[in-house]
Amino acid sequence: MREPFSTAAQQREADMLGMYLFLASEVLLFGGLFAGALTYRILYPEAVVAASARLHVWIGAANTALLLTSSLLVALAVQAADCGLRRPAAALLSGAAGLGFGFLVLKAVEYTKEIHQGLLPGFGGRFDFSSPVEQLFMNLYLVGTGLHAAHMTVGIAILAGLAWRIGRRSLPLPERAVTVAVCGLYWHLVDIVWVFLYPVLYLAR
Amino acid sequence: MGAGISEKTVAETAEERISYLRAGHTLRSWFFTTDHKRIALLYLVSVTFFFFIGGAAAALMRADLLTPEGDLLSNEGYNRAFTLHGVIMVWFFLIPSIPNVFGNFLLPLMIGARDLAFPRLNLISWYVYMVGGLFTVFILITGGVDTGWTFYTPLSSMFANGNVVLAATAIFVVGFSSIMTGLNFIVTVHTLRAPGMTWGRLPLFVWSHYATSIILVLATPVLTISLVLIAAERLFGIGIFDPALGGDPLLYQHLFWFYSHPAVYIMVLPALGVTSELVAAAARKPVFGYWFVAASSIAIALVGFLVWGHHMFVSGQSMYASAVFSFLSLVVAVPSGIKVYNWTATLYKGHISLDPPFLFAMGFIGLFVVGGLTGLILAMLAVDVHVHDTYFVVAHFHYIMVGGTVSAFFGALHYWWPKITGRHYSIVWGSLSAVFIFLGFNLTFFPQFLLGYLGMPRRYHVYDPGFQVLHVLSSAGATILGVAYLLPFAYLFYSLRNGEPAGPNPWGATGLEWTVASPPPKHNFETIPVVTRPPYDYEIEQESDAG
């Protein structure tokens, strides 16, 4: 137990609440981008639909599948950690980190395609959109998915680090299962943000 | 395991009685402390440092505005001075001042906890704050930014000089410090209240910090994303706000004010909490309408998220949106009014002692009422079009943010100084500085209402000679105010060595923080207290005194 707490239950409650509050702040970080994208969708439906139609919807769908599966693995890992099952927990977390890495690889492929097609701003080259709203939509797309990818990178590092520490017993289970639960919450949030990004950006057609 | 714990407890009790100030003397014991009281003192020293840097910039501007020609500073220099003033004062003084100093020091003591829930996070947040703060001072002094603290696009994204990205980065960094503090406070209030410390027994100071923390956690990330977007636009040409790149400057204002209007309540809600404590202690009565005062803090925090559009009445946003924002802005007056009326009712027939904390509280209420009522004027759609971006606005927000927050900061400093240091200060000098701050403040900012109403725009330093008399009055007031702000330095420092020992409860106040020694021992409480009485039960005390 850490310093200000007098019972383990109290500490667990504090750790979970702290993570939920941090995730609430993350939701608002993305919230501004979502609000922007939705506002332009309502104000200028045709232009947004036209821009959205040019995105690679199947790559996005594959990424959604990868991410949902990884979230399932993390949920199972949290249960395993609670029961003190060291090896399964480490394996499930590694698997989730691997799927997350697969997501980033697919995303990189998608960005490359988009740069070649002149869909992405900010990479020199041509950027062929007729209306400013289409351009703004792609700007929001780049910032939104880029910010999400940055969160994915952090999340993968966390999951891999956890798996490693559980594997070499420096994170004893089930005593420190709350650490796995808290990190799992972060990964679920990254997943949920994507579950909203995908329809707002790709399916706005 | 049980035996081990009890041995440890016995061994520590002797050590625990040593005050937190004497618990260690090395630099290491201060800079790597996780004690919330020591971290509060680190913040006290640093926010004071930034207050004087921001104040120096203000003095420079007031000197420049003495003459209509604006001959002291260049146009660019003036813009950089007011940006420095705004950025430092908002993010490095007003927002962290009361929560990070007094909230940090008092919140655990008031709810009967040994520390905040995440002590190391608390220390990290101070380091993050210092890194952001010193970096900001460095870039604002070496190159400067001329956008004003609002970083409005497209000025900030297309035309302003190159330090915008660095300044945005610094504020991005300090935002994390805000989020960490807010998160720590909320978790502490939820999980570490002493037995019997129910929500209905929380001091109103704690309620207001709880409400403030909700805003810190939920609003700050929106500022973060706005700054990320500005940086993305300037560095990579991703045009979110620049129309030439497909962007929309109005989007910036929406995002920025979605944070920055609630930020005003980050500054003033803790001040309202401080005032509730000071008023109850001065009147020696329970706060009238405890639940209304507590709930009004939460109401201000929540409604505060819905009013950002009143900054954009002349920006080209839709008229219907403006009408809705106008209405919602007027709604904030209701919980604010509840507080003022309840303080008044608390003071009614109270046995009032005229000591410095009470004088600061009275100054706060006066300035807060003027600031709040002029806020109503600005919230009216039609009137705002007349006084938008004039000195009327400058005067209004200084009444709230400086008259309100800074008065309450000094009130808190004078009320809890004996608790923090264990020493009394000079009551006469304390009272004098309260009076001088009030007078100097009004002389500085009341003329600015008139200036604004007559049409003097903000952010100009070359102005029509007709405005000069009022500007000279304002600058004269600023001089008095500056001296009045320096006064407490002298007698508070003097009291550190020469003040009389204060004893645990010098004001005869209620509240758990007054039950421990002054200065408090390292671990706050030898045993976690059990709370059995309602907050502010002064009447019970008086009855027993009489009996």
Side-chain angles (χ1 to χ4, degrees), chain A residues 86 89-90 93 161-171 173 180:
Chain A
R86 195 170 60 81
L93 288 170
L162 267 185
W164 189 65
R165 285 172 65 199
I166 292 172
R168 63 193 284 268
R169 295 170 196 268
S170 68
L171 191 83
L173 293 178
V180 182

Side-chain angles (χ1 to χ4, degrees), chain A residues 97-175:
Chain A
L99 289 175
F101 187 72
F103 177 100
L104 287 183
V105 171
L106 264 184
K107 195 76 217 162
V109 170
E110 192 183 358
Y111 278 154
T112 317
K113 276 175 177 276
E114 283 162 350
I115 290 168
H116 286 304
Q117 289 165 329
L119 294 176
L120 275 198
F123 288 93
R126 69 201 167 88
F127 184 46
D128 61 343
F129 276 108
S130 45
S131 86
V133 176
E134 286 178 42
Q135 204 175 341
L136 179 57
F137 180 85
M138 288 311 295
N139 291 335
L140 286 171
Y141 162 82
L142 178 61
V143 176
T145 54
L147 193 64
H148 179 257
H151 279 80
M152 289 282 300
T153 312
V154 173
I156 292 167
I158 290 174
L159 294 185
L162 267 185
W164 189 65
R165 285 172 65 199
I166 292 172
R168 63 193 284 268
R169 295 170 196 268
S170 68
L171 191 83
L173 293 178
E175 296 82 8

Side-chain angles (χ1 to χ4, degrees), chain B residues 117-471:
Chain B
F118 305 115
R120 273 184 298 170
L121 190 71
N122 198 18
L123 180 66
I124 293 168
S125 93
W126 181 73
Y127 276 101
V128 170
Y129 166 80
M130 285 310 286
V131 167
L134 294 175
F135 188 57
T136 307
V137 171
F138 176 72
I139 57 178
L140 290 179
I141 288 174
T142 52
V145 178
D146 56 359
T147 58
W149 75 281
T150 52
F151 296 105
Y152 273 159
T153 57
L155 172 61
S156 64
S157 58
M158 292 165 71
F159 304 110
N161 63 48
N163 274 0
V164 171
V165 169
L166 294 176
T169 309
I171 293 158
F172 176 86
V173 167
V174 85
F176 284 98
S177 167
S178 287
I179 294 174
M180 288 182 220
T181 303
L183 190 153
N184 220 340
F185 283 0
I186 296 180
V187 175
T188 305
V189 172
H190 271 275
T191 59
L192 287 176
R193 280 172 288 127
M197 180 55 84
T198 57
W199 288 92
R201 286 176 179 165
L202 285 181
L204 291 165
F205 180 89
V206 176
W207 269 109
S208 71
H209 275 74
Y210 185 75
T212 307
S213 304
I214 293 174
I215 310 179
L216 281 170
V217 171
L218 295 184
T220 314
V222 183
L223 173 74
T224 310
I225 192 72
S226 326
L227 296 171
V228 167
L229 293 175
I230 285 192
E233 184 155 328
R234 282 187 73 104
L235 294 175
F236 307 113
I238 302 173
I240 307 283
F241 307 126
D242 175 4
L245 298 170
D248 182 347
L250 259 194
L251 178 61
Y252 178 78
Q253 295 195 25
H254 280 295
L255 290 175
F256 180 80
W257 287 113
F258 184 82
Y259 161 80
S260 292
H261 195 82
V264 175
Y265 303 115
I266 297 176
M267 302 168 204
V268 84
L269 271 170
L272 299 169
V274 165
T275 306
S276 296
E277 300 293 324
L278 303 192
V279 163
R284 314 204 51 74
K285 278 175 63 188
V287 173
F288 181 85
Y290 169 87
W291 273 113
F292 281 92
V293 180
S296 65
S297 289
I298 306 291
I300 290 173
L302 298 182
V303 182
F305 277 104
L306 306 175
V307 303
W308 76 90
H310 69 219
H311 293 267
M312 302 164 65
F313 285 162
V314 299
S315 70
Q317 94 184 333
S318 104
M319 186 178 70
Y320 303 103
S322 293
V324 171
F325 281 122
S326 174
F327 169 75
L328 288 167
S329 306
L330 296 173
V331 168
V332 182
V334 176
S336 312
I338 286 174
K339 286 194 191 278
V340 174
Y341 285 122
N342 282 353
W343 293 327
T344 316
T346 307
L347 290 169
Y348 177 68
K349 287 191 176 173
H351 307 273
I352 292 168
S353 46
L354 275 179
D355 40 38
F358 176 71
L359 293 175
F360 277 109
M362 287 301 98
F364 170 86
I365 293 176
L367 302 177
F368 178 69
V369 166
V370 175
L373 290 178
T374 51
L376 290 181
I377 295 174
L378 288 170
M380 309 272 187
L381 193 43
V383 189
D384 182 71
V385 173
H386 175 65
V387 290
H388 202 94
D389 273 343
T390 66
Y391 263 74
F392 193 91
V393 180
V394 176
H396 156 71
F397 71 70
H398 277 87
Y399 263 85
I400 291 283
M401 286 153 63
V402 185
T405 309
V406 181
S407 293
F409 180 79
F410 275 97
L413 193 60
H414 284 78
Y415 184 57
W416 282 293
W417 183 263
K419 177 54 61 187
I420 294 171
T421 65
R423 302 281 184 165
H424 273 304
Y425 52 87
S426 158
I427 295 291
V428 176
W429 281 105
S431 310
L432 271 180
S433 79
V435 171
F436 274 110
I437 285 176
F438 184 75
L439 295 178
F441 182 87
N442 278 301
L443 185 58
T444 310
F445 292 103
F446 197 79
Q448 298 188 4
F449 280 125
L450 306 177
L451 277 170
Y453 193 75
L454 295 172
M456 165 89 198
R458 65 192 285 200
R459 303 194 179 106
Y460 281 39
H461 78 133
V462 177
Y463 56 85
D464 187 288
F467 295 131
Q468 193 179 7
V469 175
L470 289 168
H471 269 302

